[in-house]
Amino acid sequence: MNPTRKRRLAVVISVIVAAAIAVGLTVFALQRNMSYLFTPSQVQEGQATQYPTFRLGGMVKSGSIQRAKDSLKVSFIVVDDAGAMPVEYTGILPDLFRDNQSVIATGRMADGRFIASEVLAKHDENYMPKELKDAMAKAHQKRNIDDTAMKDTPK
């Protein structure tokens, strides 16, 4: 092989190796920043155990909201048709947060409780986030629960 071909081959191999390293680093970075959404029943089934942080979506159980008198700490229970998960959050909650409203909380599990770092509430009675609707439908289908109420929500 002549010297020109050797140089070209070295350049092509270098570009391929550099591209492979760049793709690998990008995939690694994206995996660390992904946030998966689970319902309380999916968390109880153990589907979220491999994720250090994830999103929990469902409805705030009626009468479950407990506020600490000396801090911004709030405890409540998020439910779907088949499960319930206690949640703790320290901070200011959205204005629309209340009993029987859809909520998505981002956080982690600790001692059987979900410790939320962020809480989002839905904006009207008919809206349910598509991800939450799909996750709840999947959980209901798995447990053979009739989800006719979820069919009425707009997409």
Side-chain angles (χ1 to χ4, degrees):
M1 202 184 281
N2 67 30
T4 306
R5 285 190 176 179
K6 283 184 181 179
R7 267 187 262 129
R8 285 183 188 162
L9 183 60
V11 169
V12 168
I13 290 174
S14 319
V15 168
I16 291 173
V17 168
I21 290 172
V23 167
L25 290 173
T26 302
V27 168
F28 179 72
L30 290 176
Q31 283 180 339
R32 291 181 52 105
N33 291 327
M34 290 185 74
S35 182
Y36 294 93
L37 175 70
F38 295 98
T39 62
S41 59
Q42 289 173 321
V43 173
Q44 290 171 340
E45 290 172 0
Q47 295 180 21
T49 55
Q50 64 185 8
Y51 305 104
T53 61
F54 59 92
R55 292 183 296 163
L56 177 71
M59 303 287 282
V60 177
K61 183 178 179 183
S62 180
S64 70
I65 301 172
Q66 298 176 349
R67 299 175 190 270
K69 294 182 181 189
D70 59 344
S71 68
L72 293 175
K73 186 175 183 179
V74 179
S75 299
F76 55 95
I77 297 175
V78 174
V79 298
D80 63 357
D81 286 343
M85 179 64 52
V87 177
E88 289 182 3
Y89 175 69
T90 302
I92 299 172
L93 289 165
D95 291 338
L96 296 174
F97 179 85
R98 59 182 172 270
D99 288 342
N100 297 319
Q101 293 292 319
S102 291
V103 66
I104 294 179
T106 304
R108 60 183 170 77
M109 290 298 295
D111 299 324
R113 301 179 72 80
F114 187 79
I115 308 301
S117 58
E118 179 183 28
V119 175
L120 304 172
K122 69 177 193 151
H123 71 281
D124 73 13
E125 293 178 15
N126 296 321
Y127 175 75
M128 182 178 292
K130 182 176 180 350
E131 294 171 318
L132 179 57
K133 180 180 175 182
D134 293 344
M136 288 181 74
K138 188 184 236 183
H140 295 172
Q141 187 177 34
K142 198 173 200 180
R143 295 179 179 268
N144 295 324
I145 296 173
D146 180 26
D147 59 348
T148 55
M150 291 176 48
K151 292 179 183 173
D152 295 335
T153 59
K155 292 182 180 177

